[in-house]
């Protein structure tokens, strides 16, 4: 703070609480308005979030990471032409391209689970968390009798594209991991959407969601535990959505009920 | 057939869509006018439509949609009599005259259908939307009084990405010290389980009790989860739900009128309001029906107005249009968001709904803080009941930008607006506001800062 600022700046005596949250608290004020330093920091964060939306996700790299753990994957794309059309036309982002449909047609059918990774609105979320969550889930499933489809990696996809994929693969349920809309403090948030009995036309009340998976939000390990809990319960109840309430016990052991003895 | 003839035989649903000011969601749905000229021609034709036609021609069929039935069966013919002879255009001109006062509009509200409100809004400019809305007054109460002339309330929104109680308390303290939180202290939870919801409700209730804050709390989760929390004894002040303007869209949200009725009755039965019994909090937003595949060929602004008919039935404390949250596929840029926010506020107020606006945008829309400053300033002038207060305008849980505590202080200062009177009295007693509603420097010995000690412990 410069000498001049001392006279125009009213500090907030609770600014020490900033260590408990990333929220922009204790910013102080000039009159009742936001001081310039904080205003420019905000603008910088927004500029970065805007850039995150337009950065392409490197899905080839995700395939390499999954392959290292001996998991196979498929490179697919929605019917969107480019990034601008992706933003304006969610309907096209929910449908596979003709080429991708053909790739799925020749796949084996009939699985318990299908994992789908979509770039969505944040490439950084995919780069930081997607293979960790997918790999963690696949490691768990490997210990159970559950059958799992190759992981679908989708460019310019929306959540509902998982319905077309799950249906084409004959999967009992899908888990879509997708880059969420970037926030200023979290341009890297991954969301997981679970759908039992996926088919085109499924609406959002039939899904369960785990959001804010990122460093500083929900950790990858916790996300894997939560998602596997929801999967286990969904397979038991034969449904997802508002009828499937999250009542996970603190000591829940993932897939304990399904582990091979 | 002549051009004029084509519009004369056009159904109301199509005419409303073509007359709607441009927005990306109507283009996405394939409903928008194909050219600027077609849009204005449709507006000219809409101006000549008698209001009475709206009672005989439903944009979503009566047999197929419970909201249409609610609108038609609940229409107050006596109130409508005052405008029964008008066309939509005449209605617009009449609303702008000095003959139409706050009392006129209050009496009229139940005689107006959402489609009439949407239609007249499509013929209005920004200044018309502001001027007429500013004549409307919708007042509600629970532990304080919201919507009185000369007041502007704020929902304090202390969201945290992991629902961390310390983080939430820190943001709540920040907001209270900036005079915010009179509309509600309302958390969007990151995790939707009943235990977590109950934990958050308990924390807010303790805070409100301890400092005797004349306000109400809410955790914004699905009505069924809130009802489950109530059954387990959680302290529920307000029951929240997102709603839309068609039965199909509401089904995609997992609600219908019967379920909302049940939730309303269950919340009323708790009897926690001290000044009034407005216990529901609804959120809406243009484009939600299309997003849920439930638009039935109706433009998004008309459907938004229909959602207010749902809200109106349950006498809510707060109705909030989250105008820019849904993204650029529905409202592409700042210009579209600004107009939509003012339309929603106008239609809600005309229908007698206690309207607030989440002045907001996402990072994938073509909008920025300057656009929000414009919309906030216009809404302040339009008499908006409440806005959001988010620390530094950055919601770290929902990942979008809304209005900040500083923004709320700005608009109150600029227009001489104060919080809800009971809350203003409390702020004075806590030495946060002076008796003119201006922010005081908060002393490090202020009793409210005890929260700080508890957070740090």
């Amino acid at each position: 703070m410069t000498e001049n600022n001392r006279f125009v700046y009213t500090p907030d005596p609770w600014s020490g609480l900033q260590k408990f949250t990333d929220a922009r608290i204790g910013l102080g004020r000039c009159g009742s308005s936001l001081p310039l330093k904080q205003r420019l920091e905000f603008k910088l964060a927004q500029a970065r979030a805007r850039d995150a939306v337009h950065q392409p996700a490197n899905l080839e790299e995700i395939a390499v990471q999954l392959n290292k753990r001996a998991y196979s994957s498929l490179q697919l794309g929605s019917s969107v032409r480019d990034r601008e059309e992706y933003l304006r036309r969610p309907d096209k982002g929910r449908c596979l391209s003709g080429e991708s449909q053909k790739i799925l047609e020749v796949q084996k059918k009939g699985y318990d689970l299908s994992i789908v990774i979509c770039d969505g609105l944040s490439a950084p979320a995919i780069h930081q968390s997607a293979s960790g969550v997918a790999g963690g889930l696949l490691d768990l499933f490997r210990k159970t009798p559950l059958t799992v489809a190759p992981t679908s990696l989708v460019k310019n996809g929306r959540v509902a594209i998982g319905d077309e994929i799950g249906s084409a693969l004959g999967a009992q349920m899908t888990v879509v991991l997708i880059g969420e809309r970037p926030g200023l403090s979290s341009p890297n948030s991954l969301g997981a959407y679970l759908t039992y009995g996926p088919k085109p036309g499924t609406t959002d009340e039939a899904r369960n969601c785990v959001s804010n998976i990122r460093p500083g939000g929900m950790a990858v390990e916790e996300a894997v535990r939560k998602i596997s809990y929801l999967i286990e319960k969904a397979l038991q109840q034969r449904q997802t959505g508002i009828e499937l309430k999250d009542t996970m016990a603190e000591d829940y052991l993932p897939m304990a009920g399904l582990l091979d003895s | 057939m002549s051009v004029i003839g084509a519009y004369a035989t056009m159904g109301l649903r199509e005419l409303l869509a073509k007359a709607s000011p441009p927005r990306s969601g109507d283009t996405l749905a394939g409903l928008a006018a194909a050219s600027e000229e077609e849009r204005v021609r449709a507006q000219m034709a809409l101006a000549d439509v008698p209001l009475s036609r709206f009672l005989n021609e439903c944009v979503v069929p009566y047999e197929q949609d419970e909201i249409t039935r609610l609108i038609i069966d609940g229409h107050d013919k006596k109130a409508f009599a005052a405008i029964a002879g008008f066309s939509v255009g005449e209605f617009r001109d009449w609303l702008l005259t000095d003959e139409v006062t706050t009392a006129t509009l209050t009496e009229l509200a139940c005689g107006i259908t959402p489609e009439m409100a949407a239609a007249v809004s499509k013929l209005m400019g920004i200044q018309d939307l502001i001027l007429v809305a500013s004549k409307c007054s919708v007042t509600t109460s629970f532990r304080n009084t919201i919507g009185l002339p000369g007041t502007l309330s704020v929902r304090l929104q202390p969201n945290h990405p992991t629902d961390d109680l310390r983080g939430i308390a820190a943001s709540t303290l920040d907001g209270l010290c900036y005079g915010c939180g009179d509309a509600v202290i309302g958390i969007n939870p990151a995790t939707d389980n009943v235990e977590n919801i109950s934990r958050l409700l308990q924390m807010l209730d303790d805070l409100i009790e301890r400092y005797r804050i004349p306000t109400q709390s809410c955790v914004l989760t699905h009505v069924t989860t809130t009802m489950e929390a109530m059954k387990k004894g959680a302290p529920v002040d307000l029951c929240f739900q997102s709603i839309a303007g068609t039965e199909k869209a509401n089904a995609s949200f997992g609600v219908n009128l019967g379920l909302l009725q049940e939730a309303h009755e269950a919340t009323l039965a708790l009897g926690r309001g001290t000044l009034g019994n407005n216990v529901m909090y609804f959120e809406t937003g243009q484009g939600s029906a299309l997003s849920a595949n439930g638009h039935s060929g109706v433009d998004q602004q008309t459907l938004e107005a229909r959602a207010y008919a749902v809200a109106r039935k349950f006498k809510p404390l707060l109705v909030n249009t989250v105008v820019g949250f849904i993204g650029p596929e529905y409202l592409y840029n700042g210009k579209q968001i600004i107009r939509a926010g003012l339309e929603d506020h106008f239609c809600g107020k005309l229908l007698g709904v206690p309207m607030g606006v989440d002045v907001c945008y996402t990072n994938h829309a073509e909008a920025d803080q300057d656009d929000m400053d414009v919309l906030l300033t216009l809404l302040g002038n339009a008499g908006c009941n409440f806005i959001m207060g988010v620390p530094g305008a950055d919601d770290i849980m929902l990942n979008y930008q809304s209005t900040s505590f500083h923004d709320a202080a700005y608009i109150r200062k600029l227009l001489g607006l104060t919080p809800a009177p009971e809350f203003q009295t409390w702020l004075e007693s806590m030495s946060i506001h002076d008796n003119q509603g201006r922010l005081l420097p908060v002393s490090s010995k202020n009793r409210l800062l005890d929260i700080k000690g508890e957070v740090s412990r």
Side-chain angles (χ1 to χ4, degrees), chain B residues 175-362:
Chain B
L176 291 171
C177 289
Y178 275 79
C180 297
D182 50 339
V184 63
I185 304 175
I187 303 171
N188 298 87
T191 308
D192 221 7
N193 78 50
V194 184
E195 274 170 31
N196 185 48
I197 301 302
S198 303
R199 186 178 68 106
L200 295 172
L201 282 165
Q202 195 60 56
M203 177 242 170
L204 291 180
D205 191 51
D206 289 348
L207 189 76
I208 288 171
E209 279 279 306
R210 179 155 8 112
Y211 294 96
R212 300 188 178 281
I213 311 173
T215 191
Q216 36 283 329
S217 70
C218 187
V219 176
L220 287 73
T221 180
H222 194 266
V223 278
T224 54
T225 310
T226 302
M227 284 196 283
E228 216 172 307
M230 278 185 223
K231 276 182 205 148
K232 294 192 168 161
V236 174
D237 289 344
L238 304 182
C239 183
F240 169 83
Q241 183 57 45
S242 291
I243 53 170
T246 65
E247 180 176 335
K248 207 174 158 198
N250 280 325
S252 94
F253 292 161
V255 295
N256 54 49
L257 294 174
L259 182 62
L260 292 174
Q261 179 79 36
E262 198 186 319
H264 184 217
E265 284 166 11
T267 316
L268 274 177
L270 300 176
R272 293 172 55 84
T274 49
L275 289 186
N277 269 323
N278 301 112
V279 297
M280 301 301 285
Y281 173 10
F282 293 117
E283 283 189 352
T284 64
Q286 290 190 27
S288 58
L290 172 57
S291 159
N293 259 331
H295 66 87
S296 303
V298 182
D299 71 89
Q300 67 184 37
Q301 191 257 332
T302 301
L303 290 177
E304 171 71 8
R306 281 169 56 99
Y308 307 151
V310 177
R312 179 161 73 172
K313 179 175 166 56
F314 302 104
K315 301 182 174 56
L317 184 77
L318 309 163
V319 177
N320 175 27
T321 171
V322 192
V323 65
F325 185 73
I326 192 159
E329 58 270 40
Y330 304 95
L331 295 168
Y332 186 65
N333 54 21
K335 187 175 171 68
Q336 294 188 3
I337 292 171
I338 289 166
R339 167 132 193 137
L342 292 164
E343 288 167 348
D344 293 354
H345 176 256
F346 163 83
C347 287
K349 284 290 178 68
L350 200 63
L351 292 166
V353 168
M355 210 65 205
V357 179
D358 190 341
V359 176
C360 64
Y361 65 105
T362 61

Side-chain angles (χ1 to χ4, degrees), chain A residues 208-210 226 229-230 233 244-249, chain B residues 191-196:
Chain A
N208 289 81
C209 173
V210 178
K226 178 69 80 183
Y229 165 80
L230 290 169
K233 202 164 169 186
L244 173 57
K245 297 288 182 200
D246 175 6
T247 53
M248 185 174 91
Chain B
T191 308
D192 221 7
N193 78 50
V194 184
E195 274 170 31
N196 185 48

Side-chain angles (χ1 to χ4, degrees), chain A:
Chain A
M1 198 188 314
T2 67
E3 196 58 30
N4 286 338
N5 264 352
R6 199 164 298 169
F7 299 103
V8 297
Y9 178 78
T10 308
D12 292 334
W14 59 92
S15 57
L17 296 183
Q18 284 166 353
K19 61 173 177 282
F20 296 107
T21 178
D22 287 336
R24 292 165 196 265
I25 63 166
L27 303 179
R29 53 191 171 89
C30 300
S32 49
S33 299
L34 191 66
L36 182 63
K37 177 169 176 283
Q38 282 76 8
R39 182 173 142 71
L40 290 175
E41 279 168 4
F42 178 100
K43 287 190 75 169
L44 178 63
Q46 206 229 339
R48 284 180 174 155
R50 299 265 302 144
D51 289 345
V53 172
H54 297 277
Q55 180 192 349
N58 188 348
L59 295 172
E60 288 75 21
E61 174 58 25
I62 302 294
V64 170
Q65 288 169 14
L66 289 174
N67 195 42
K68 276 186 195 154
R69 297 165 83 154
Y71 298 120
S72 61
S73 56
L74 305 166
Q75 293 286 353
L76 305 173
S78 75
S79 54
V80 157
R81 191 179 51 232
D82 55 30
R83 203 64 186 160
E84 187 186 328
E85 190 178 57
Y86 177 75
L87 294 176
R88 283 182 179 266
R89 294 294 301 269
D91 53 333
K92 291 193 172 184
R94 295 185 194 117
C95 300
L96 288 169
S97 66
E99 204 180 317
S100 296
Q101 285 172 339
K102 281 187 198 128
I103 295 175
L104 288 185
E105 271 166 25
V106 300
Q107 297 297 314
K108 184 176 151 265
K109 308 279 183 298
Y111 298 95
D112 293 313
L113 289 158
S114 154
I115 296 178
V116 178
I117 297 174
C118 278
D119 48 4
L121 288 168
S122 170
I126 299 300
H127 298 158
Q128 290 171 20
S129 306
S131 72
V133 174
L137 288 170
L138 290 165
D139 288 349
L140 278 172
F141 301 151
R142 186 147 56 183
K143 299 177 195 158
T144 73
L146 296 173
T147 55
V148 187
T151 302
S152 300
L153 308 175
V154 188
K155 191 176 173 188
N156 286 327
R158 300 259 171 183
V159 170
I161 206 164
D163 300 333
E164 187 180 349
I165 295 170
S167 161
L169 290 170
Q172 209 182 336
M173 105 174 256
T174 55
V175 180
V176 176
L177 305 175
I178 189 165
E180 291 178 346
R181 52 171 66 174
L184 301 197
S185 313
S186 53
N188 55 351
S189 218
L190 186 78
Y193 291 82
L194 287 76
T195 311
Y196 187 87
K199 55 179 187 300
T202 302
T203 50
D204 289 344
E205 89 282 3
R207 307 187 205 283
N208 289 81
C209 173
V210 178
S211 57
N212 262 304
I213 304 165
R214 65 181 173 94
M218 183 182 270
V220 165
E221 300 70 35
E222 185 54 20
V224 168
R225 211 164 78 96
K226 178 69 80 183
I227 295 167
S228 66
Y229 165 80
L230 290 169
I231 289 172
E232 209 176 333
K233 202 164 169 186
L235 291 174
Q236 275 164 17
Q237 291 191 8
R238 305 181 71 81
Q239 64 181 348
T240 45
I242 58 161
E243 296 298 324
L244 173 57
K245 297 288 182 200
D246 175 6
T247 53
M248 185 174 91
E250 278 194 16
D251 58 354
Y252 165 74
L253 270 179
M255 298 287 154
L258 290 167
L259 292 180
D260 287 333
S261 46

